[in-house]
């Protein structure tokens, strides 16, 4: 009997020993004379169980984890005998943390071989493209619009409207750009899907190309993601070989080609216009809008620029129907969001759920509270530009409008958890410092304001005219919020002001704070 064992090749799993676990299992199989076929997959996203390995059985895949090389032989024996083992987790699909999710975008991540078009197709891959090829441009646009999909990169702009603008703009050449710069703290969904199911991104971009009349696309991947670069390049080559990229896609009259470009290592290069500058070979500096990239984007041509997760949601929408996607969610936030639980959290990882789930449910129930075991004090949602929420706001539903109503943002869906040892004035200082370091320098409120912000918070922390300097920081935030050209300067006030609003007791000399805590 030939055993099929699945081991993630995801960068996160490799970081905690997936390659060593794979080698040890292979060695154990050779020692035992057991014939094994190893499949390197992406990660299922249950990070505390990585490296999580699975074996195919007639009942489904049985999972074990976290696997260390020392456990490899006994785990292999348990796989062969279908017997008990302390690391045995049962059927992977039945693990409650996974079963509670609604995986539309991440349905195949951790399941399929990310280098095999055949495996992708056998799990419903390319059904969305096949449907798109049967529809007219207007019909595809109607599907994307009806699905209610909003950009998953942070701003939440309706994807259907963006695509329609590019489709209706006449030009001899148009482009599709995938924003895989993923710079937000605590986020990893783009990386995971590129490493675990790269074809879904390629398929989404191809559908975008067919819809708006673009024949060329670029995936701009941050330089810190070498595994994702390899995975995407391998998938592009496989898609080309299978006739899903290049001339006459899927036997149609359309052609579409893709290329990976490695990013320049700056947070601001995730901002769409700075990204386009960088793609064109220049320094990543933000462009003034208008013109919008949809009218004048890459090389001055109409360009669809979307986040990885926005493109990855498209195949389901086309294959399953816009209404099936829009059937999930709450209010104007339709569909599902791949939420990323990170920081000081017990059960961190990728949790895809319909919008509307509350922050408290995500942090306390699904995340299991802090890893340190101390009480949760604050969470930052939406990356370094997102607000800090105290427990008092844990009833906030995960939804664009609900977060905005409380001066927060969901951004790219990252949640970073902090316990009660956090010093929130230090976090506020960090927000200003981050902005100062990452500012592209184009406008004064961001370039100068962030540095003045660091200095002023330092004074507050030193106990120098605390009330007066808090007033200066608030004033500075106001100037940055309304006077900055892009959201880096414009949103840095959110973490700063939320820390001041909800954790005012942390602002003052360190000795006072310690006394207050005692
Ligand atoms: C400073 C800054 C950094 C950003 N970084 C990213 C990023 O890493 N990935 C991303 O998709 N969008 C990022 N964005 C948002 C993009 O500008 C843009 O809104 C997005 O790529 C559009 O795609 P979407 O509509 O699919 O979200 C950033 C914006 C700002 C202001
Ligand atoms: S807000 Fe900051 S990052 Fe954005 S354009 Fe101005 S200087 Fe550049």
């Amino acid at each position: 009997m030939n055993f099929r064992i699945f081991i993630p090749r995801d960068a996160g799993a490799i970081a905690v020993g997936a390659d060593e676990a794979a080698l040890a299992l292979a060695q154990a199989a050779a020692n035992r004379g057991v014939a094994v076929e190893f499949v390197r997959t992406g990660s299922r996203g249950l990070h505390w169980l990585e490296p999580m390995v699975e074996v195919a059985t007639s009942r489904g895949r049985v999972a074990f984890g976290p696997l260390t090389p020392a456990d490899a032989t006994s785990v292999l024996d348990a796989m062969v005998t279908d017997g008990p083992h302390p690391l045995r987790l049962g059927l992977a699909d039945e693990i409650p943390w996974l079963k509670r999710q609604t995986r539309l975008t991440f349905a195949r991540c951790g399941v399929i071989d990310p280098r095999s078009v055949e495996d992708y197709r056998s799990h419903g891959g390319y059904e969305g493209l096949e449907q798109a090829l049967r529809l007219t441009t207007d019909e595809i646009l109607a599907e994307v619009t009806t699905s209610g999909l909003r950009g998953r990169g942070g701003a939440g702009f309706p994807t259907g409207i963006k695509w329609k603008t590019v489709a209706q703009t006449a030009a001899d050449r148009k482009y599709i750009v995938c924003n895989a710069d993923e710079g937000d703290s605590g986020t990893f969904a783009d990386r995971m899907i590129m490493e675990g199911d790269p074809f879904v991104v390629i398929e989404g971009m191809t559908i975008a190309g067919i819809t708006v009349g673009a024949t060329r696309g670029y995936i701009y991947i941050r330089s810190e993601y070498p595994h994702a670069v390899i995975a995407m390049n391998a998938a592009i080559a496989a898609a080309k070989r299978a006739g899903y990229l290049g001339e006459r896609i899927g036997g149609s009259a359309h052609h579409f080609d893709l290329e990976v470009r490695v990013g320049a290592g700056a947070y601001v290069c995730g901002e769409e216009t700075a990204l386009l500058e960088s793609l064109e070979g220049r320094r990543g500096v933000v462009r003034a809008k208008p013109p919008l990239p949809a009218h004048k984007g890459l090389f001055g041509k109409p360009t669809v620029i979307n986040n990885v997760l926005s493109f990855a949601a498209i195949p389901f929408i086309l294959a399953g129907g816009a209404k099936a996607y829009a059937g999930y969610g709450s209010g104007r936030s339709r569909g599902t969001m791949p939420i990323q639980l990170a920081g000081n959290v017990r059960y961190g990882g990728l949790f895809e759920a319909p919008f509307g789930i509350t922050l408290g449910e995500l942090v306390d129930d699904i995340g299991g509270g802090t890893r340190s075991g101390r009480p949760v004090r604050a969470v930052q949602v939406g990356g370094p530009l997102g607000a800090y929420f105290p427990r008092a706001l844990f009833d906030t539903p995960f939804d664009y409008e609900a977060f905005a109503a409380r001066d927060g943002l969901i951004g790219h869906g990252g949640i970073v958890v902090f316990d009660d040892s956090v010093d929130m004035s230090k976090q506020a200082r960090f927000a200003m410092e981050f902005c100062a370091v990452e500012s592209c320098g184009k406008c004064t409120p961001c370039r100068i304001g962030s540095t003045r912000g660091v200095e002023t918070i330092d004074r507050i922390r030193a106990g120098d005219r605390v009330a007066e300097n808090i007033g200066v920081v608030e004033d500075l935030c106001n100037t940055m919020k309304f006077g900055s050209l892009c959201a880096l300067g414009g949103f840095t006030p959110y973490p700063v002001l939320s820390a001041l609003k909800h954790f005012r007791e942390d602002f003052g000399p360190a000795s006072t704070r310690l006394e207050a805590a005692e």
Side-chain angles (χ1 to χ4, degrees):
M1 183 177 165
N2 208 351
F3 286 92
R4 287 193 93 200
I5 296 179
F6 303 85
I7 306 178
R9 200 190 339 235
D10 172 275
I14 289 174
V16 291
D19 283 347
E20 292 78 1
L23 267 175
L25 267 180
Q27 190 59 55
N31 292 346
R32 290 278 198 259
V34 178
V36 174
E37 181 198 345
F38 287 99
V39 182
R40 297 302 296 263
T41 60
S43 167
R44 295 260 200 175
L46 289 71
H47 288 173
W48 72 100
L49 293 176
E50 292 291 5
M52 187 170 103
V53 301
E54 297 170 26
V55 62
T57 74
S58 56
R59 290 165 289 119
R61 290 195 201 169
V62 175
F64 296 79
L67 180 66
T68 61
D71 292 313
T73 302
S74 60
V75 164
L76 182 83
D77 290 345
M79 286 174 165
V80 172
T81 58
D82 203 6
H85 192 281
L87 296 184
R88 188 182 170 113
L89 302 164
L91 288 173
D93 289 335
E94 298 296 322
I95 297 173
W97 210 83
L98 205 48
K99 207 175 175 189
R100 281 178 77 174
Q101 303 191 34
T102 306
R103 289 208 163 184
L104 306 185
T105 301
F106 275 75
R108 283 172 293 256
C109 192
V111 176
I112 63 162
D113 175 353
R115 300 197 177 178
S116 164
V117 178
E118 296 72 40
D119 211 5
Y120 180 63
R121 279 180 55 91
S122 72
H123 287 80
Y126 279 120
E127 283 175 13
L129 177 66
E130 280 154 21
Q131 175 64 1
L133 290 173
R134 286 189 283 268
L135 301 179
T136 63
T137 296
D138 286 345
E139 286 168 337
I140 302 173
L141 290 174
E143 282 293 282
V144 177
T145 306
T146 309
S147 74
L149 178 67
R150 292 163 72 176
R152 301 293 188 235
F157 187 80
T159 307
I161 295 178
K162 189 180 280 188
W163 287 22
K164 192 174 179 184
T165 310
V166 178
Q168 290 177 344
T169 305
D172 58 345
R173 192 174 259 264
K174 299 178 187 179
Y175 293 103
I176 308 296
V177 174
C178 177
N179 188 341
D181 201 48
E182 196 164 58
D184 282 1
S185 38
T187 64
F188 41 80
D190 294 351
R191 180 189 60 68
M192 272 184 64
I193 201 100
M194 287 189 288
E195 292 177 8
D197 190 10
F199 295 111
V200 80
V201 182
I202 295 173
E203 185 182 351
M205 292 182 73
T206 308
I207 294 170
I210 287 169
T211 310
V212 306
T215 51
R216 186 153 201 89
Y218 294 93
I219 307 175
Y220 185 93
I221 306 179
R222 64 179 304 170
S223 59
E224 296 88 339
Y225 281 178
H227 299 84
V229 171
I230 292 168
M232 282 308 317
N233 274 326
I236 288 171
K240 275 186 187 157
R241 284 195 300 274
Y244 284 107
L245 282 176
E247 301 289 323
R248 303 188 57 78
I249 293 159
S252 74
H254 298 278
H255 60 271
F256 186 69
D257 246 317
L258 266 184
E259 215 180 290
V260 167
R261 288 293 167 90
V262 178
Y267 181 71
V268 77
C269 283
E271 194 282 334
E272 56 186 11
T273 61
L275 187 154
L276 295 176
E277 285 288 301
S278 176
L279 257 186
E280 290 179 14
R282 284 189 290 275
R283 191 160 73 90
V285 174
V286 174
R287 295 177 185 170
K289 288 189 260 190
L292 294 169
H295 291 132
K296 254 182 125 199
L298 188 62
F299 303 116
K301 303 293 179 186
T303 301
V304 166
I305 174 161
N306 274 129
N307 174 250
V308 173
L309 300 180
S310 311
F311 283 123
I314 294 291
F316 176 90
I317 291 167
L318 268 296
K323 291 208 173 80
Y325 192 77
Y328 295 99
S330 76
R332 287 178 47 224
S333 306
R334 307 312 314 169
T336 58
M337 184 73 196
I339 296 161
Q340 299 127 84
L341 288 165
N344 189 348
V345 66
R346 194 156 171 216
Y347 303 122
L350 191 291
F351 196 92
E352 184 174 349
F355 286 99
I357 186 169
T358 67
L359 184 57
E361 198 179 342
L362 284 163
V363 175
D364 292 331
D365 188 9
I366 291 154
T370 63
R371 196 175 52 241
S372 62
R374 298 178 69 97
V376 174
R377 182 155 186 245
V379 293
Q380 188 178 30
V381 184
L385 311 177
Y388 287 98
F389 275 18
R391 291 203 71 92
L393 298 184
F394 274 19
D395 61 342
T396 314
F398 210 82
D399 141 335
Y400 292 102
E401 279 67 39
F403 263 71
R406 290 180 161 181
D407 288 331
L409 55 117
I410 64 169
H412 186 46
I415 299 180
V416 180
V417 181
F418 296 84
D419 73 13
D420 63 351
S421 65
V422 67
D423 176 344
M424 293 305 294
S425 66
K426 215 168 167 183
Q427 295 306 119
R429 183 193 192 278
F430 172 72
M432 284 292 191
E433 188 189 24
F434 181 81
C435 182
V437 170
E438 298 294 339
S439 170
C440 83
K442 186 153 178 162
C443 56
T444 318
C446 168
R447 186 184 70 245
I448 309 285
S450 51
T451 297
R452 293 292 95 86
V454 172
E455 293 164 359
T456 315
I457 295 174
D458 277 344
R459 280 189 208 110
I460 295 168
R461 286 170 53 79
D464 176 11
R465 291 168 293 149
V466 172
E468 193 185 321
N469 276 317
I470 285 178
V472 172
V473 170
E474 286 169 342
D475 195 33
L476 198 52
C477 282
N478 228 23
T479 307
M480 289 173 72
K481 211 165 160 179
F482 298 106
S484 296
L485 182 58
C486 86
L488 180 47
F491 280 56
T492 291
Y494 282 81
V496 177
L497 293 176
S498 58
L500 266 169
K501 181 174 173 183
H502 303 299
F503 307 94
R504 176 72 69 130
E505 63 277 17
D506 282 13
F507 290 79
S511 56
T512 324
R513 291 200 300 276
L514 286 177
E515 277 163 26
E518 276 165 6

